[in-house]
Amino acid sequence: MSDKTLFQKIMDREIPASIVYEDDFCCAFNDITPQAPVHVLIVPRKPIPRVGDAVAEDQAQLGALLLAAGKIADQLGVKDRSKGFRIVINHGVDAGETVPHMHVHLLAGRSLSWPPG
Ligand code: AMP
């Protein structure tokens, strides 16, 4: 049986997804259950289970996720301050984590309320 995470299988094209961005550190694809007109998941190639499990050697991986967020927001036309986007990382049960392979949610395309639910 494969030990790959769901998101590794997507990155390896074993499970279909709409991939919008890739680089050496990460892969980004549309969320299957979008919560906004733009809802992209940015996933490190290294299967860090959740953000609090990252270690010092993951620094480049973590930084790459934020840099990718800016590039993807630009690519999708929501980077301009008159529009904008939100990034979210869920760690653990109370935060709503459901997939144990760290990922950044990039949400945009509508006015997002604050505080989040
Ligand atoms: P989280 O709840 O923060 O762990 O986020 C997991 C996200 O993965 C959810 O927003 C799901 O809708 C999304 N998701 C689950 N399976 C897939 C899939 N096969 N393709 C794309 N997104 C997925």
Side-chain angles (χ1 to χ4, degrees):
M1 205 174 86
S2 170
D3 288 335
K4 289 182 181 178
T5 68
L6 169 64
F7 290 167
Q8 282 178 301
K9 290 177 185 170
I10 287 175
M11 287 190 268
D12 290 347
R13 273 57 173 186
E14 293 171 15
I15 292 177
S18 174
I19 293 176
V20 299
Y21 175 85
E22 283 188 283
D23 64 28
D24 288 347
F25 289 104
C26 63
C27 178
F29 46 86
N30 289 323
D31 197 293
I32 203 168
T33 311
Q35 302 300 314
V38 172
H39 188 172
V40 173
L41 302 177
I42 310 168
V43 183
R45 293 198 182 278
K46 179 179 175 182
I48 301 163
R50 54 198 60 80
V51 65
D53 297 326
V55 295
E57 69 184 30
D58 297 328
Q59 188 164 338
Q61 293 271 346
L62 299 180
L65 300 177
L66 299 187
L67 290 173
K71 290 178 192 170
I72 294 163
D74 195 22
Q75 186 180 306
L76 299 179
V78 297
K79 186 178 164 190
D80 190 273
R81 192 167 177 271
S82 66
K83 294 188 176 172
F85 61 95
R86 179 175 293 168
I87 55 178
V88 172
I89 302 174
N90 296 322
H91 175 122
V93 174
D94 278 356
E97 175 203 310
T98 57
V99 176
H101 182 150
M102 188 197 158
H103 47 282
V104 173
H105 296 258
L106 188 160
L107 298 147
R110 65 172 171 82
S111 182
L112 299 164
S113 61
W114 190 265

